[in-house]
mmCIF file of all heavy atoms in Angstrom:
data_model
loop_
_atom_site.group_PDB
_atom_site.id
_atom_site.type_symbol
_atom_site.label_atom_id
_atom_site.label_comp_id
_atom_site.label_asym_id
_atom_site.label_seq_id
_atom_site.Cartn_x
_atom_site.Cartn_y
_atom_site.Cartn_z
ATOM 1 N N TYR Y 1 61.270 -48.610 68.805
ATOM 2 C CA TYR Y 1 62.517 -48.998 69.330
ATOM 3 C C TYR Y 1 62.725 -50.522 69.107
ATOM 4 O O TYR Y 1 61.667 -51.325 68.933
ATOM 5 C CB TYR Y 1 62.701 -48.702 70.829
ATOM 6 C CG TYR Y 1 61.883 -49.593 71.732
ATOM 7 C CD1 TYR Y 1 62.437 -50.745 72.174
ATOM 8 C CD2 TYR Y 1 60.605 -49.265 72.128
ATOM 9 C CE1 TYR Y 1 61.727 -51.662 73.049
ATOM 10 C CE2 TYR Y 1 59.962 -50.120 72.971
ATOM 11 C CZ TYR Y 1 60.542 -51.230 73.443
ATOM 12 O OH TYR Y 1 59.812 -52.126 74.292
ATOM 13 N N ASN Y 2 63.914 -50.935 68.989
ATOM 14 C CA ASN Y 2 64.278 -52.369 68.885
ATOM 15 C C ASN Y 2 65.586 -52.629 69.719
ATOM 16 O O ASN Y 2 66.591 -52.144 69.335
ATOM 17 C CB ASN Y 2 64.491 -52.661 67.326
ATOM 18 C CG ASN Y 2 65.024 -54.139 67.212
ATOM 19 O OD1 ASN Y 2 64.940 -54.974 68.049
ATOM 20 N ND2 ASN Y 2 65.717 -54.412 66.129
ATOM 21 N N ASP Y 3 65.367 -53.284 70.791
ATOM 22 C CA ASP Y 3 66.504 -53.623 71.660
ATOM 23 C C ASP Y 3 66.961 -54.974 71.752
ATOM 24 O O ASP Y 3 67.331 -55.623 72.728
ATOM 25 C CB ASP Y 3 66.172 -53.072 73.114
ATOM 26 C CG ASP Y 3 66.064 -51.594 73.240
ATOM 27 O OD1 ASP Y 3 66.656 -50.977 72.426
ATOM 28 O OD2 ASP Y 3 65.503 -51.052 74.352
ATOM 29 N N GLY Y 4 66.749 -55.623 70.549
ATOM 30 C CA GLY Y 4 67.252 -57.045 70.361
ATOM 31 C C GLY Y 4 66.122 -57.964 70.859
ATOM 32 O O GLY Y 4 64.977 -57.835 70.475
ATOM 33 N N SER Y 5 66.432 -58.922 71.683
ATOM 34 C CA SER Y 5 65.469 -59.935 72.169
ATOM 35 C C SER Y 5 65.660 -60.205 73.648
ATOM 36 O O SER Y 5 66.819 -60.078 74.147
ATOM 37 C CB SER Y 5 65.498 -61.147 71.334
ATOM 38 O OG SER Y 5 66.811 -61.807 71.430
ATOM 39 N N SER Y 6 64.687 -60.839 74.239
ATOM 40 C CA SER Y 6 64.882 -61.179 75.670
ATOM 41 C C SER Y 6 63.655 -62.103 75.994
ATOM 42 O O SER Y 6 62.726 -62.296 75.290
ATOM 43 C CB SER Y 6 64.759 -59.971 76.566
ATOM 44 O OG SER Y 6 63.583 -59.305 76.554
ATOM 45 N N PHE Y 7 63.847 -62.727 77.249
ATOM 46 C CA PHE Y 7 62.741 -63.642 77.618
ATOM 47 C C PHE Y 7 61.503 -62.901 77.958
ATOM 48 O O PHE Y 7 61.624 -61.859 78.708
ATOM 49 C CB PHE Y 7 63.216 -64.438 78.789
ATOM 50 C CG PHE Y 7 62.187 -65.437 79.318
ATOM 51 C CD1 PHE Y 7 62.087 -66.828 78.630
ATOM 52 C CD2 PHE Y 7 61.335 -65.228 80.270
ATOM 53 C CE1 PHE Y 7 61.124 -67.664 79.160
ATOM 54 C CE2 PHE Y 7 60.343 -66.142 80.695
ATOM 55 C CZ PHE Y 7 60.290 -67.397 80.127
ATOM 56 N N THR Y 8 60.389 -63.433 77.530
ATOM 57 C CA THR Y 8 59.103 -62.638 77.739
ATOM 58 C C THR Y 8 57.982 -63.671 78.085
ATOM 59 O O THR Y 8 57.919 -64.736 77.462
ATOM 60 C CB THR Y 8 58.678 -61.794 76.523
ATOM 61 O OG1 THR Y 8 59.685 -60.916 76.333
ATOM 62 C CG2 THR Y 8 57.391 -61.053 76.811
ATOM 63 N N ALA Y 9 57.035 -63.301 78.951
ATOM 64 C CA ALA Y 9 55.847 -64.080 79.231
ATOM 65 C C ALA Y 9 54.736 -63.276 78.813
ATOM 66 O O ALA Y 9 54.456 -62.162 79.390
ATOM 67 C CB ALA Y 9 55.743 -64.518 80.731
ATOM 68 N N GLU Y 10 53.981 -63.597 77.811
ATOM 69 C CA GLU Y 10 52.958 -62.851 77.156
ATOM 70 C C GLU Y 10 51.825 -62.713 78.208
ATOM 71 O O GLU Y 10 51.452 -63.675 78.921
ATOM 72 C CB GLU Y 10 52.349 -63.411 75.883
ATOM 73 C CG GLU Y 10 53.425 -63.268 74.747
ATOM 74 C CD GLU Y 10 52.878 -63.774 73.406
ATOM 75 O OE1 GLU Y 10 51.630 -64.096 73.313
ATOM 76 O OE2 GLU Y 10 53.582 -63.730 72.395
ATOM 77 N N ARG Y 11 51.124 -61.589 78.166
ATOM 78 C CA ARG Y 11 49.956 -61.328 79.040
ATOM 79 C C ARG Y 11 48.682 -61.915 78.707
ATOM 80 O O ARG Y 11 47.751 -62.107 79.563
ATOM 81 C CB ARG Y 11 49.786 -59.856 79.272
ATOM 82 C CG ARG Y 11 50.914 -59.017 79.802
ATOM 83 C CD ARG Y 11 50.734 -57.512 79.652
ATOM 84 N NE ARG Y 11 49.476 -57.161 80.292
ATOM 85 C CZ ARG Y 11 48.786 -56.093 79.894
ATOM 86 N NH1 ARG Y 11 49.247 -55.275 78.872
ATOM 87 N NH2 ARG Y 11 47.680 -55.688 80.564
ATOM 88 N N TRP Y 12 48.564 -62.320 77.487
ATOM 89 C CA TRP Y 12 47.284 -62.851 76.978
ATOM 90 C C TRP Y 12 47.424 -64.133 76.201
ATOM 91 O O TRP Y 12 48.519 -64.539 75.883
ATOM 92 C CB TRP Y 12 46.729 -61.721 76.005
ATOM 93 C CG TRP Y 12 46.402 -60.432 76.537
ATOM 94 C CD1 TRP Y 12 47.222 -59.424 76.860
ATOM 95 C CD2 TRP Y 12 45.145 -59.987 77.045
ATOM 96 N NE1 TRP Y 12 46.527 -58.333 77.438
ATOM 97 C CE2 TRP Y 12 45.314 -58.620 77.520
ATOM 98 C CE3 TRP Y 12 43.845 -60.528 77.044
ATOM 99 C CZ2 TRP Y 12 44.225 -57.911 78.002
ATOM 100 C CZ3 TRP Y 12 42.824 -59.853 77.590
ATOM 101 C CH2 TRP Y 12 42.976 -58.475 78.181
ATOM 102 N N PRO Y 13 46.384 -64.821 75.956
ATOM 103 C CA PRO Y 13 46.485 -66.055 75.144
ATOM 104 C C PRO Y 13 47.210 -65.810 73.912
ATOM 105 O O PRO Y 13 46.978 -64.738 73.293
ATOM 106 C CB PRO Y 13 45.032 -66.537 74.967
ATOM 107 C CG PRO Y 13 44.286 -65.917 76.120
ATOM 108 C CD PRO Y 13 44.970 -64.542 76.364
ATOM 109 N N PRO Y 14 48.111 -66.692 73.435
ATOM 110 C CA PRO Y 14 48.230 -68.025 73.925
ATOM 111 C C PRO Y 14 49.267 -68.204 74.963
ATOM 112 O O PRO Y 14 49.823 -69.382 75.206
ATOM 113 C CB PRO Y 14 48.780 -68.713 72.597
ATOM 114 C CG PRO Y 14 49.582 -67.626 71.897
ATOM 115 C CD PRO Y 14 48.801 -66.378 72.193
ATOM 116 N N TRP Y 15 49.512 -67.139 75.818
ATOM 117 C CA TRP Y 15 50.362 -67.210 76.904
ATOM 118 C C TRP Y 15 51.794 -67.687 76.714
ATOM 119 O O TRP Y 15 52.389 -68.427 77.548
ATOM 120 C CB TRP Y 15 49.793 -68.073 78.085
ATOM 121 C CG TRP Y 15 48.404 -67.929 78.355
ATOM 122 C CD1 TRP Y 15 47.288 -68.743 78.009
ATOM 123 C CD2 TRP Y 15 47.681 -66.796 79.001
ATOM 124 N NE1 TRP Y 15 46.084 -68.270 78.436
ATOM 125 C CE2 TRP Y 15 46.236 -66.971 79.009
ATOM 126 C CE3 TRP Y 15 48.149 -65.543 79.492
ATOM 127 C CZ2 TRP Y 15 45.366 -66.029 79.442
ATOM 128 C CZ3 TRP Y 15 47.259 -64.692 80.006
ATOM 129 C CH2 TRP Y 15 45.897 -64.890 80.057
ATOM 130 N N HIS Y 16 52.244 -67.408 75.525
ATOM 131 C CA HIS Y 16 53.559 -67.896 75.133
ATOM 132 C C HIS Y 16 54.687 -67.345 76.011
ATOM 133 O O HIS Y 16 54.651 -66.187 76.425
ATOM 134 C CB HIS Y 16 53.856 -67.379 73.682
ATOM 135 C CG HIS Y 16 55.259 -67.792 73.225
ATOM 136 N ND1 HIS Y 16 55.692 -69.014 72.876
ATOM 137 C CD2 HIS Y 16 56.367 -67.013 73.025
ATOM 138 C CE1 HIS Y 16 56.916 -69.066 72.506
ATOM 139 N NE2 HIS Y 16 57.431 -67.817 72.664
ATOM 140 N N GLN Y 17 55.678 -68.129 76.371
ATOM 141 C CA GLN Y 17 56.801 -67.755 77.114
ATOM 142 C C GLN Y 17 58.073 -68.097 76.380
ATOM 143 O O GLN Y 17 58.140 -69.296 75.911
ATOM 144 C CB GLN Y 17 56.934 -68.356 78.510
ATOM 145 C CG GLN Y 17 55.665 -67.857 79.346
ATOM 146 C CD GLN Y 17 55.855 -68.445 80.851
ATOM 147 O OE1 GLN Y 17 56.959 -68.563 81.374
ATOM 148 N NE2 GLN Y 17 54.738 -68.711 81.500
ATOM 149 N N GLY Y 18 58.969 -67.352 76.241
ATOM 150 C CA GLY Y 18 60.224 -67.552 75.593
ATOM 151 C C GLY Y 18 60.959 -66.366 75.041
ATOM 152 O O GLY Y 18 60.580 -65.213 75.455
ATOM 153 N N ILE Y 19 61.920 -66.504 74.163
ATOM 154 C CA ILE Y 19 62.688 -65.431 73.677
ATOM 155 C C ILE Y 19 61.842 -64.748 72.532
ATOM 156 O O ILE Y 19 61.439 -65.364 71.629
ATOM 157 C CB ILE Y 19 64.086 -65.947 73.180
ATOM 158 C CG1 ILE Y 19 64.911 -66.447 74.197
ATOM 159 C CG2 ILE Y 19 64.854 -64.762 72.407
ATOM 160 C CD1 ILE Y 19 65.365 -65.471 75.290
ATOM 161 N N GLU Y 20 61.608 -63.444 72.778
ATOM 162 C CA GLU Y 20 60.920 -62.723 71.759
ATOM 163 C C GLU Y 20 61.555 -61.268 71.584
ATOM 164 O O GLU Y 20 62.506 -60.971 72.363
ATOM 165 C CB GLU Y 20 59.459 -62.382 72.268
ATOM 166 C CG GLU Y 20 58.552 -63.727 72.456
ATOM 167 C CD GLU Y 20 57.153 -63.388 72.716
ATOM 168 O OE1 GLU Y 20 56.797 -62.236 73.052
ATOM 169 O OE2 GLU Y 20 56.313 -64.235 72.572
ATOM 170 N N TYR Y 21 61.128 -60.690 70.546
ATOM 171 C CA TYR Y 21 61.693 -59.315 70.291
ATOM 172 C C TYR Y 21 61.470 -58.384 71.431
ATOM 173 O O TYR Y 21 60.323 -58.287 72.050
ATOM 174 C CB TYR Y 21 61.042 -58.772 69.053
ATOM 175 C CG TYR Y 21 61.229 -59.436 67.726
ATOM 176 C CD1 TYR Y 21 60.088 -59.997 67.077
ATOM 177 C CD2 TYR Y 21 62.559 -59.649 67.262
ATOM 178 C CE1 TYR Y 21 60.214 -60.611 65.849
ATOM 179 C CE2 TYR Y 21 62.783 -60.331 66.065
ATOM 180 C CZ TYR Y 21 61.652 -60.863 65.366
ATOM 181 O OH TYR Y 21 61.801 -61.516 64.201
ATOM 182 N N ASP Y 22 62.504 -57.686 71.830
ATOM 183 C CA ASP Y 22 62.282 -56.589 72.786
ATOM 184 C C ASP Y 22 62.273 -55.361 72.052
ATOM 185 O O ASP Y 22 63.197 -54.646 71.902
ATOM 186 C CB ASP Y 22 63.608 -56.512 73.772
ATOM 187 C CG ASP Y 22 63.387 -55.586 74.930
ATOM 188 O OD1 ASP Y 22 62.290 -54.926 74.967
ATOM 189 O OD2 ASP Y 22 64.293 -55.433 75.754
ATOM 190 N N ALA Y 23 60.972 -55.045 71.578
ATOM 191 C CA ALA Y 23 60.820 -54.011 70.634
ATOM 192 C C ALA Y 23 59.367 -53.511 70.907
ATOM 193 O O ALA Y 23 58.553 -54.127 71.404
ATOM 194 C CB ALA Y 23 60.976 -54.492 69.124
ATOM 195 N N GLY Y 24 59.234 -52.246 70.371
ATOM 196 C CA GLY Y 24 57.910 -51.611 70.566
ATOM 197 C C GLY Y 24 57.855 -50.214 70.268
ATOM 198 O O GLY Y 24 58.536 -49.733 69.268
ATOM 199 N N LEU Y 25 57.179 -49.424 71.093
ATOM 200 C CA LEU Y 25 57.007 -48.012 70.877
ATOM 201 C C LEU Y 25 57.537 -47.100 72.003
ATOM 202 O O LEU Y 25 57.186 -47.460 73.161
ATOM 203 C CB LEU Y 25 55.562 -47.640 70.702
ATOM 204 C CG LEU Y 25 55.148 -46.262 70.220
ATOM 205 C CD1 LEU Y 25 55.585 -45.913 68.888
ATOM 206 C CD2 LEU Y 25 53.686 -45.979 70.498
ATOM 207 N N PHE Y 26 58.411 -46.232 71.749
ATOM 208 C CA PHE Y 26 58.843 -45.298 72.785
ATOM 209 C C PHE Y 26 57.915 -44.142 72.715
ATOM 210 O O PHE Y 26 58.146 -43.211 71.821
ATOM 211 C CB PHE Y 26 60.304 -45.013 72.688
ATOM 212 C CG PHE Y 26 60.845 -44.182 73.903
ATOM 213 C CD1 PHE Y 26 60.739 -44.664 75.109
ATOM 214 C CD2 PHE Y 26 61.330 -42.908 73.718
ATOM 215 C CE1 PHE Y 26 61.186 -43.851 76.255
ATOM 216 C CE2 PHE Y 26 61.833 -42.130 74.797
ATOM 217 C CZ PHE Y 26 61.760 -42.629 76.054
ATOM 218 N N PHE Y 27 56.809 -44.128 73.427
ATOM 219 C CA PHE Y 27 55.772 -43.063 73.402
ATOM 220 C C PHE Y 27 56.272 -41.878 73.943
ATOM 221 O O PHE Y 27 56.785 -41.823 75.133
ATOM 222 C CB PHE Y 27 54.629 -43.683 74.052
ATOM 223 C CG PHE Y 27 53.418 -42.691 74.189
ATOM 224 C CD1 PHE Y 27 52.427 -42.730 73.280
ATOM 225 C CD2 PHE Y 27 53.301 -41.843 75.296
ATOM 226 C CE1 PHE Y 27 51.361 -41.777 73.406
ATOM 227 C CE2 PHE Y 27 52.272 -40.968 75.445
ATOM 228 C CZ PHE Y 27 51.263 -40.977 74.470
ATOM 229 N N ILE Y 28 56.183 -40.750 73.258
ATOM 230 C CA ILE Y 28 56.542 -39.399 73.693
ATOM 231 C C ILE Y 28 55.313 -38.484 73.393
ATOM 232 O O ILE Y 28 54.945 -38.399 72.194
ATOM 233 C CB ILE Y 28 57.824 -38.922 73.017
ATOM 234 C CG1 ILE Y 28 58.951 -39.953 73.164
ATOM 235 C CG2 ILE Y 28 58.211 -37.566 73.503
ATOM 236 C CD1 ILE Y 28 60.215 -39.598 72.418
ATOM 237 N N ALA Y 29 54.814 -37.683 74.375
ATOM 238 C CA ALA Y 29 53.695 -36.893 74.100
ATOM 239 C C ALA Y 29 53.879 -35.545 74.959
ATOM 240 O O ALA Y 29 54.156 -35.588 76.146
ATOM 241 C CB ALA Y 29 52.437 -37.588 74.602
ATOM 242 N N TYR Y 30 53.690 -34.405 74.172
ATOM 243 C CA TYR Y 30 53.812 -33.077 74.801
ATOM 244 C C TYR Y 30 52.381 -32.571 74.919
ATOM 245 O O TYR Y 30 51.556 -32.790 74.135
ATOM 246 C CB TYR Y 30 54.710 -32.147 73.857
ATOM 247 C CG TYR Y 30 56.085 -32.564 73.860
ATOM 248 C CD1 TYR Y 30 56.620 -33.455 72.921
ATOM 249 C CD2 TYR Y 30 56.994 -32.048 74.826
ATOM 250 C CE1 TYR Y 30 58.000 -33.766 72.910
ATOM 251 C CE2 TYR Y 30 58.337 -32.390 74.801
ATOM 252 C CZ TYR Y 30 58.830 -33.219 73.903
ATOM 253 O OH TYR Y 30 60.141 -33.592 73.834
ATOM 254 N N GLN Y 31 52.287 -31.831 76.000
ATOM 255 C CA GLN Y 31 50.946 -31.258 76.221
ATOM 256 C C GLN Y 31 51.048 -29.965 77.274
ATOM 257 O O GLN Y 31 51.987 -29.814 77.919
ATOM 258 C CB GLN Y 31 50.067 -32.310 77.029
ATOM 259 C CG GLN Y 31 50.596 -32.817 78.227
ATOM 260 C CD GLN Y 31 50.819 -34.343 78.306
ATOM 261 O OE1 GLN Y 31 49.878 -35.027 78.547
ATOM 262 N NE2 GLN Y 31 52.063 -34.798 77.858
ATOM 263 N N ARG Y 32 49.982 -29.215 77.294
ATOM 264 C CA ARG Y 32 49.848 -28.108 78.098
ATOM 265 C C ARG Y 32 49.619 -28.445 79.579
ATOM 266 O O ARG Y 32 50.141 -27.822 80.467
ATOM 267 C CB ARG Y 32 48.699 -27.157 77.617
ATOM 268 C CG ARG Y 32 48.589 -25.881 78.413
ATOM 269 C CD ARG Y 32 47.661 -24.929 77.765
ATOM 270 N NE ARG Y 32 47.460 -23.642 78.486
ATOM 271 C CZ ARG Y 32 46.895 -22.687 78.070
ATOM 272 N NH1 ARG Y 32 46.412 -22.634 76.790
ATOM 273 N NH2 ARG Y 32 46.769 -21.501 78.740
ATOM 274 N N ASP Y 33 48.853 -29.495 79.867
ATOM 275 C CA ASP Y 33 48.574 -29.957 81.151
ATOM 276 C C ASP Y 33 48.393 -31.410 81.220
ATOM 277 O O ASP Y 33 47.410 -31.995 80.578
ATOM 278 C CB ASP Y 33 47.250 -29.242 81.668
ATOM 279 C CG ASP Y 33 47.026 -29.385 83.100
ATOM 280 O OD1 ASP Y 33 47.277 -30.497 83.622
ATOM 281 O OD2 ASP Y 33 46.418 -28.494 83.694
ATOM 282 N N PRO Y 34 49.190 -32.156 81.887
ATOM 283 C CA PRO Y 34 49.140 -33.679 81.870
ATOM 284 C C PRO Y 34 47.773 -34.199 82.507
ATOM 285 O O PRO Y 34 47.422 -35.170 82.156
ATOM 286 C CB PRO Y 34 50.296 -34.102 82.675
ATOM 287 C CG PRO Y 34 51.325 -32.922 82.669
ATOM 288 C CD PRO Y 34 50.434 -31.698 82.585
ATOM 289 N N ARG Y 35 47.201 -33.390 83.397
ATOM 290 C CA ARG Y 35 45.912 -33.836 83.995
ATOM 291 C C ARG Y 35 44.845 -33.989 82.978
ATOM 292 O O ARG Y 35 43.997 -34.989 83.082
ATOM 293 C CB ARG Y 35 45.564 -32.898 85.132
ATOM 294 C CG ARG Y 35 46.641 -32.820 86.273
ATOM 295 C CD ARG Y 35 46.343 -31.661 87.173
ATOM 296 N NE ARG Y 35 46.414 -30.348 86.459
ATOM 297 C CZ ARG Y 35 46.274 -29.224 87.126
ATOM 298 N NH1 ARG Y 35 46.052 -29.154 88.505
ATOM 299 N NH2 ARG Y 35 46.380 -28.064 86.459
ATOM 300 N N SER Y 36 44.735 -32.931 82.052
ATOM 301 C CA SER Y 36 43.705 -33.042 81.018
ATOM 302 C C SER Y 36 44.181 -33.622 79.783
ATOM 303 O O SER Y 36 43.381 -33.680 78.861
ATOM 304 C CB SER Y 36 43.105 -31.643 80.875
ATOM 305 O OG SER Y 36 44.195 -30.727 80.457
ATOM 306 N N GLY Y 37 45.476 -33.941 79.773
ATOM 307 C CA GLY Y 37 46.053 -34.439 78.519
ATOM 308 C C GLY Y 37 46.252 -35.980 78.636
ATOM 309 O O GLY Y 37 45.272 -36.799 78.617
ATOM 310 N N PHE Y 38 47.568 -36.354 78.839
ATOM 311 C CA PHE Y 38 47.899 -37.760 78.799
ATOM 312 C C PHE Y 38 47.080 -38.557 79.943
ATOM 313 O O PHE Y 38 46.591 -39.730 79.640
ATOM 314 C CB PHE Y 38 49.354 -37.964 79.030
ATOM 315 C CG PHE Y 38 49.670 -39.469 79.196
ATOM 316 C CD1 PHE Y 38 49.813 -40.313 78.028
ATOM 317 C CD2 PHE Y 38 49.930 -39.968 80.377
ATOM 318 C CE1 PHE Y 38 50.240 -41.660 78.175
ATOM 319 C CE2 PHE Y 38 50.343 -41.270 80.667
ATOM 320 C CZ PHE Y 38 50.375 -42.138 79.526
ATOM 321 N N ILE Y 39 46.959 -38.054 81.107
ATOM 322 C CA ILE Y 39 46.366 -38.838 82.168
ATOM 323 C C ILE Y 39 44.923 -39.194 81.948
ATOM 324 O O ILE Y 39 44.542 -40.293 82.081
ATOM 325 C CB ILE Y 39 46.514 -38.110 83.527
ATOM 326 C CG1 ILE Y 39 47.998 -37.953 83.986
ATOM 327 C CG2 ILE Y 39 45.736 -38.752 84.690
ATOM 328 C CD1 ILE Y 39 48.286 -37.180 85.108
ATOM 329 N N ARG Y 40 44.245 -38.158 81.450
ATOM 330 C CA ARG Y 40 42.795 -38.384 81.101
ATOM 331 C C ARG Y 40 42.636 -39.369 79.951
ATOM 332 O O ARG Y 40 41.819 -40.347 80.098
ATOM 333 C CB ARG Y 40 42.108 -37.076 80.678
ATOM 334 C CG ARG Y 40 40.700 -37.233 80.367
ATOM 335 C CD ARG Y 40 39.996 -35.899 80.260
ATOM 336 N NE ARG Y 40 38.522 -36.136 80.087
ATOM 337 C CZ ARG Y 40 37.656 -35.229 80.216
ATOM 338 N NH1 ARG Y 40 38.085 -33.945 80.533
ATOM 339 N NH2 ARG Y 40 36.247 -35.378 80.000
ATOM 340 N N ILE Y 41 43.423 -39.223 78.879
ATOM 341 C CA ILE Y 41 43.324 -40.066 77.737
ATOM 342 C C ILE Y 41 43.754 -41.574 78.151
ATOM 343 O O ILE Y 41 43.094 -42.512 77.814
ATOM 344 C CB ILE Y 41 44.236 -39.541 76.585
ATOM 345 C CG1 ILE Y 41 43.685 -38.180 76.060
ATOM 346 C CG2 ILE Y 41 44.234 -40.617 75.418
ATOM 347 C CD1 ILE Y 41 44.512 -37.530 75.180
ATOM 348 N N ASN Y 42 44.838 -41.647 78.817
ATOM 349 C CA ASN Y 42 45.380 -42.984 79.157
ATOM 350 C C ASN Y 42 44.567 -43.749 80.116
ATOM 351 O O ASN Y 42 44.535 -45.019 80.121
ATOM 352 C CB ASN Y 42 46.810 -42.895 79.523
ATOM 353 C CG ASN Y 42 47.613 -44.301 79.305
ATOM 354 O OD1 ASN Y 42 47.671 -44.739 78.168
ATOM 355 N ND2 ASN Y 42 48.162 -44.887 80.330
ATOM 356 N N LYS Y 43 43.771 -43.097 80.984
ATOM 357 C CA LYS Y 43 42.867 -43.785 81.832
ATOM 358 C C LYS Y 43 41.876 -44.569 80.995
ATOM 359 O O LYS Y 43 41.553 -45.667 81.294
ATOM 360 C CB LYS Y 43 42.222 -42.824 82.864
ATOM 361 C CG LYS Y 43 43.110 -42.435 83.997
ATOM 362 C CD LYS Y 43 42.305 -41.530 84.987
ATOM 363 C CE LYS Y 43 43.195 -41.209 86.197
ATOM 364 N NZ LYS Y 43 42.404 -40.315 87.120
ATOM 365 N N THR Y 44 41.403 -43.868 79.951
ATOM 366 C CA THR Y 44 40.435 -44.476 79.016
ATOM 367 C C THR Y 44 41.072 -45.661 78.259
ATOM 368 O O THR Y 44 40.484 -46.819 78.195
ATOM 369 C CB THR Y 44 39.881 -43.464 78.010
ATOM 370 O OG1 THR Y 44 39.321 -42.370 78.805
ATOM 371 C CG2 THR Y 44 38.750 -44.123 77.162
ATOM 372 N N VAL Y 45 42.208 -45.419 77.798
ATOM 373 C CA VAL Y 45 43.025 -46.407 76.975
ATOM 374 C C VAL Y 45 43.321 -47.609 77.797
ATOM 375 O O VAL Y 45 43.108 -48.734 77.413
ATOM 376 C CB VAL Y 45 44.224 -45.743 76.366
ATOM 377 C CG1 VAL Y 45 45.141 -46.836 75.791
ATOM 378 C CG2 VAL Y 45 43.871 -44.717 75.297
ATOM 379 N N ALA Y 46 43.774 -47.410 79.003
ATOM 380 C CA ALA Y 46 44.174 -48.522 79.901
ATOM 381 C C ALA Y 46 42.980 -49.438 80.246
ATOM 382 O O ALA Y 46 43.105 -50.606 80.411
ATOM 383 C CB ALA Y 46 44.936 -48.008 81.160
ATOM 384 N N ALA Y 47 41.776 -48.873 80.340
ATOM 385 C CA ALA Y 47 40.643 -49.564 80.719
ATOM 386 C C ALA Y 47 39.873 -50.247 79.581
ATOM 387 O O ALA Y 47 39.267 -51.336 79.796
ATOM 388 C CB ALA Y 47 39.683 -48.668 81.501
ATOM 389 N N ARG Y 48 40.009 -49.701 78.404
ATOM 390 C CA ARG Y 48 39.105 -50.179 77.296
ATOM 391 C C ARG Y 48 39.734 -50.583 76.003
ATOM 392 O O ARG Y 48 39.167 -51.213 75.199
ATOM 393 C CB ARG Y 48 38.057 -48.986 77.027
ATOM 394 C CG ARG Y 48 37.129 -48.762 78.086
ATOM 395 C CD ARG Y 48 36.296 -47.448 77.615
ATOM 396 N NE ARG Y 48 35.868 -47.471 76.307
ATOM 397 C CZ ARG Y 48 35.389 -46.412 75.651
ATOM 398 N NH1 ARG Y 48 35.389 -45.247 76.286
ATOM 399 N NH2 ARG Y 48 35.044 -46.532 74.335
#
């Protein structure tokens, strides 16, 4: 997705703040069971 630009404060060094692209990924995932699907996977992803 690309929604133009907006003010952003980056979470990591170099800690830049200012007008940046408001763009990225609209993540969509289908699964049989979210507990053993997205939730399990994203707990690992979010931590590591």
Side-chain angles (χ1 to χ4, degrees):
Y1 76 88
N2 173 21
D3 290 343
S5 61
S6 63
F7 181 86
T8 303
E10 291 185 3
R11 297 171 55 205
W12 297 81
W15 314 111
H16 174 76
Q17 295 186 32
I19 297 297
E20 294 188 349
Y21 298 119
D22 187 356
L25 186 73
F26 189 58
F27 175 91
I28 303 170
Y30 289 93
Q31 60 237 274
R32 180 171 180 167
D33 189 328
R35 298 169 297 183
S36 58
F38 173 79
I39 293 175
R40 180 167 188 170
I41 295 170
N42 203 54
K43 281 183 177 179
T44 306
V45 169
R48 293 173 43 196

